[in-house]
């Protein structure tokens, strides 16, 4: 422990011995919360202006505080700041340096404030900044999906249920499914931002303060849309961080599903797509390997974000009001969540528009597995059969196809008529892959015309 801090602490008559060196290191957060230095300084500037406005700091003192804080920020950004574990956290490190720069006025800055409302403010500002950086990355990914969907509006691939060939779909339609998922994630994040963007500053330690503070003024200076209406709640809850992490976990869940498909599709067994080489790596032993590392890693990183969500929920579970030191544990999960989400989004936003679709392969794959069997059943319903009967007829035709190694569209009219004499020449219009997808021509359907319409809607949405 530094002499200075030791004296400072001992001078508070409350303590009769100095903090154990291990405990000092164990309880410190400066190793990680220095990441919030900008938000801490931003919050201090607003607080200083407010206490000056209400007459607690003079004009000259305010000027000194602002100049000093600017210098502190410059030192941090130049890598010249001397972080000290004795000063425990970002708040005390900055205040101590400010005081060494401008003298006693530095000590006045904390009037009417506590580290409890200070840290709650910093985290809210931090998450808000991150949300504002994440949203454009999500938009970039959506733009990539729209580019790909438009390019592949007519490309046909097998659609799956249970990972078994079900019905043909267009590749563009499949991409737009991802677009919809990301769109809901964007909405979740925008909604979360409203609650994050609330000022707890002025809650002080837990009960508010005796000084004539102006909370609306600090909120306005910091761009907060609202002010917390209960000081105990303001310093203690971290539900907004949980909400943000829940958004992140959901987004990662979506990206993990997307990843899984990219991994499958780029395998030698599927060969539906090629991932550009710059998103892949080789093997040190098997020369033929091209590994889809980026989607694999995103799939894997989903786990840590789920873990962070669970950490934060458990951190808050059963905490009595108001602030508890437990809350210091909110930062590392939050920081890692932010890094993981930003990295994963960046990788996907870069990769998606560069995906190469092997159209002949996906087309041939859609032909296998009797993907137009439902179309034949619907056709027979059109000829007057009850759906259950037509299902039965098609089942027999498929069994014949399996035995003879033929797709339904490859059977002769006579063969098909052997299963049902109502079948006529026009059956081949529905048995082709093109006919099958084109027939699903309604909002949300896979027809190329619907994909184009959805792309047009997506472009309007993205232009907002
Ligand atoms: N480093 C602390 C945190 O992250 C700041 C608030 C500390 N407040 C206190 N009363 N010890 O939560």
């Amino acid at each position: 422990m530094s002499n200075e801090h030791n004296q400072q602490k001992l001078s508070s008559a409350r303590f009769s011995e100095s903090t154990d060196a291990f405990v000092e290191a164990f309880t410190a957060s400066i190793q990680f919360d220095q990441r919030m230095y900008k938000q801490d300084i931003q919050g201090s500037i607003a607080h200083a202006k407010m206490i000056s406005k209400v007459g607690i700091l003079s004009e000259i003192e305010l000027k000194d505080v602002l100049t000093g804080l600017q210098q502190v920020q410059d030192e941090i950004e130049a890598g010249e700041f001397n972080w000290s574990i004795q000063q425990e956290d970002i708040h005390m490190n900055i205040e101590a340096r400010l005081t060494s720069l401008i003298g006693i006025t530095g000590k006045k800055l904390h009037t009417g404030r506590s580290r409890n409302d200070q840290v709650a403010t910093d985290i809210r500002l931090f998450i808000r900044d991150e949300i504002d950086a994440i949203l454009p990355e999500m938009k970039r990914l959506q733009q990539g999906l729209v580019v790909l969907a438009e390019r592949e509006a007519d490309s046909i691939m097998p659609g799956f249920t249970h990972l078994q060939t079900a019905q043909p779909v267009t590749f563009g339609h499949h991409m737009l499914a991802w677009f919809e998922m990301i769109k809901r994630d964007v909405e979740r994040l925008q909604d979360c931002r409203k609650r994050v963007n609330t000022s707890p500053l002025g809650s002080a330690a837990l009960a508010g303060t005796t000084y004539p503070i102006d909370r609306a003024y600090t909120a306005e200076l910091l761009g907060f849309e609202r002010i917390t209406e209960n000081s105990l709640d303001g310093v203690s809850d971290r539900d907004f961080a949980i909400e943000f992490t829940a958004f992140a976990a959901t987004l990662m869940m979506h990206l993990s599903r997307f990843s899984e498909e990219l991994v499958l599709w780029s395998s030698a067994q599927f060969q539906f797509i090629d991932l550009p080489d710059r998103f892949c790596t080789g093997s040190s032993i098997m020369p033929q390997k091209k590994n889809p590392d980026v989607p694999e890693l995103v799939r894997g990183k989903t786990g840590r974000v789920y873990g962070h969500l669970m950490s934060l929920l458990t951190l808050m579970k059963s905490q009595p009001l108001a602030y508890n030191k437990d809350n210091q544990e909110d930062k590392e999960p939050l920081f890692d969540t932010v890094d993981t989400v930003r990295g994963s989004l960046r990788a996907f936003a870069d990769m998606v528009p560069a995906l190469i679709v092997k159209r002949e392969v996906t087309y041939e794959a859609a032909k296998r597995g009797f993907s137009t069997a439902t179309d034949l059943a619907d056709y027979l319903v059109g000829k007057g059969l009850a759906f259950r009967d037509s299902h039965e007829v098609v089942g027999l035709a498929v069994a014949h196809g399996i035995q003879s190694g033929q797709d339904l569209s490859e059977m002769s009219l006579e063969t098909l008529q052997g299963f049902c004499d109502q079948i006529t020449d026009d059956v081949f219009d529905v048995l082709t892959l093109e006919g099958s997808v084109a027939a699903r021509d309604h909002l949300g359907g896979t027809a190329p015309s619907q994909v184009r319409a959805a792309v047009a809607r997506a472009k309007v949405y993205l232009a907002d």
Side-chain angles (χ1 to χ4, degrees):
M1 172 171 272
S2 76
N3 244 354
E4 196 194 333
H5 185 62
N6 210 355
Q7 274 161 17
Q8 214 180 63
K9 181 170 175 185
L10 290 176
S11 73
S12 124
R14 178 72 178 76
F15 291 92
S16 56
E17 61 173 357
S18 59
T19 310
D20 177 90
F22 166 73
V23 172
E24 189 173 70
F26 185 71
T27 55
S29 54
I30 190 59
Q31 312 87 308
F32 46 85
D33 67 12
Q34 53 179 268
R35 185 162 168 176
M36 303 191 305
Y37 77 87
K38 243 189 213 152
Q39 290 82 11
D40 195 73
I41 290 173
Q42 197 185 351
S44 286
I45 290 172
H47 180 70
K49 287 183 176 168
M50 184 276 286
I51 56 176
S52 159
K53 179 172 176 261
V54 302
I56 297 168
L57 271 191
S58 72
E59 286 282 320
I60 295 167
E61 287 171 326
L62 173 63
K63 213 167 148 264
D64 285 350
V65 167
L66 297 182
T67 317
L69 285 172
Q70 184 58 53
Q71 181 164 343
V72 172
Q73 178 152 348
D74 292 345
E75 287 176 7
I76 294 173
E77 285 171 358
E80 286 160 5
F81 193 91
N82 191 11
W83 300 109
S84 141
I85 207 151
Q86 284 82 39
Q87 294 299 339
E88 196 181 316
D89 58 22
I90 183 66
H91 325 296
M92 307 234 283
N93 266 267
I94 289 178
E95 188 186 314
R97 180 63 187 140
L98 179 69
T99 303
S100 81
L101 285 171
I102 66 169
I104 183 131
T105 311
K107 295 188 184 176
K108 292 191 183 175
L109 173 61
H110 212 50
T111 316
R113 178 174 80 165
S114 153
R115 276 188 295 154
N116 295 352
D117 60 344
Q118 193 178 357
V119 74
T121 304
D122 291 6
I123 308 168
R124 286 174 182 272
L125 291 173
F126 176 83
I127 298 180
R128 191 181 71 186
D129 287 344
E130 292 299 329
I131 290 175
D132 292 344
I134 289 168
L135 282 169
E137 278 299 89
M138 295 180 78
K139 188 170 197 161
R140 205 158 70 79
L141 171 55
Q142 289 181 298
Q143 280 162 341
L145 286 164
V146 169
V147 166
L148 195 56
E150 188 164 34
R151 195 196 303 153
E152 307 298 337
D154 296 291
S155 311
I156 294 179
M157 64 177 279
F160 300 96
T161 59
H162 312 269
L163 206 57
Q164 307 288 322
T165 300
Q167 291 170 358
V169 295
T170 48
F171 197 94
H173 191 55
H174 198 114
M175 288 304 108
L176 291 177
W178 294 117
F179 177 87
E180 291 296 318
M181 293 177 225
I182 306 299
K183 190 163 96 181
R184 288 193 297 278
D185 290 334
V186 166
E187 287 167 6
R188 263 184 278 279
L189 187 56
Q190 286 168 336
D191 198 53
C192 165
R193 191 186 189 281
K194 294 182 203 155
R195 281 173 291 280
V196 166
N197 202 17
T198 305
S199 178
L201 201 55
S203 301
L206 75 163
T209 175
T210 54
Y211 296 97
I213 57 170
D214 183 344
R215 296 191 63 200
Y217 185 55
T218 44
E220 185 194 321
L221 289 174
L222 293 169
F224 283 122
E225 285 165 70
R226 290 184 209 86
I227 300 171
T228 57
E229 297 201 15
N230 181 294
S231 60
L232 296 163
D233 174 49
V235 291
S236 69
D237 207 353
R238 295 292 181 267
D239 57 355
F240 59 91
I242 292 173
E243 203 177 331
F244 172 77
T245 312
F247 143 79
T250 310
L251 171 69
M252 291 303 293
M253 176 275 291
H254 284 148
L255 293 183
S256 80
R257 298 184 67 191
F258 199 171
S259 297
E260 173 69 5
E261 295 201 330
L262 297 182
V263 171
L264 278 175
W265 292 352
S266 60
S267 70
Q269 287 65 31
F270 273 81
Q271 298 184 55
F272 283 9
I273 55 163
D274 243 341
L275 292 175
D277 288 355
R278 62 184 181 281
F279 298 103
C280 300
T281 64
S283 155
S284 55
I285 173 165
M286 296 165 283
Q288 85 284 12
K289 291 293 288 291
K290 178 175 151 184
N291 296 327
D293 294 60
V294 169
E296 287 177 275
L297 209 47
V298 170
R299 188 176 60 183
K301 281 179 184 292
T302 305
R304 62 205 283 164
V305 177
Y306 288 6
H308 297 324
L309 175 59
M310 199 43 67
S311 297
L312 291 177
L313 282 167
T314 313
L315 168 68
M316 290 313 298
K317 180 185 176 294
S318 314
Q319 257 199 53
L321 289 173
Y323 176 86
N324 299 284
K325 184 75 167 178
D326 311 41
N327 283 2
Q328 184 164 291
E329 284 288 305
D330 63 356
K331 292 172 199 63
E332 287 163 293
L334 206 47
F335 295 162
D336 189 68
T337 296
V338 157
D339 293 339
T340 306
V341 162
R342 287 184 65 170
S344 303
L345 277 173
R346 180 180 170 168
F348 262 73
D350 288 348
M351 190 171 58
V352 163
L355 292 181
I356 300 146
V357 180
K358 295 163 142 179
R359 295 175 190 145
E360 304 76 38
V361 180
T362 59
Y363 188 87
E364 286 305 313
K367 272 198 188 158
R368 290 192 300 273
F370 305 97
S371 63
T372 56
T374 316
D375 297 86
L376 180 57
D378 291 343
Y379 168 87
L380 292 174
V381 168
K383 297 280 177 181
L385 267 73
F387 186 76
R388 280 292 159 232
D389 293 335
S390 77
H391 190 276
E392 177 77 18
V393 167
V394 178
L396 293 171
V398 166
H400 172 72
I402 293 170
Q403 205 192 14
S404 62
Q406 282 177 301
D407 182 54
L408 295 173
S409 63
E410 290 163 351
M411 293 178 193
S412 67
L413 184 59
E414 295 71 45
T415 307
L416 288 168
Q417 284 170 339
F419 299 108
C420 176
D421 55 14
Q422 269 144 298
I423 296 177
T424 54
D425 206 23
D426 58 352
V427 72
F428 294 105
D429 296 341
V430 306
L431 289 183
T432 62
L433 299 177
E434 289 78 3
S436 172
V437 293
R440 284 159 174 80
D441 191 12
H442 54 77
L443 182 77
T446 195
S449 58
Q450 290 297 330
V451 173
R452 292 204 175 82
V455 162
R457 289 195 300 273
K459 285 182 178 172
V460 172
Y461 158 90
L462 288 172
D464 258 14

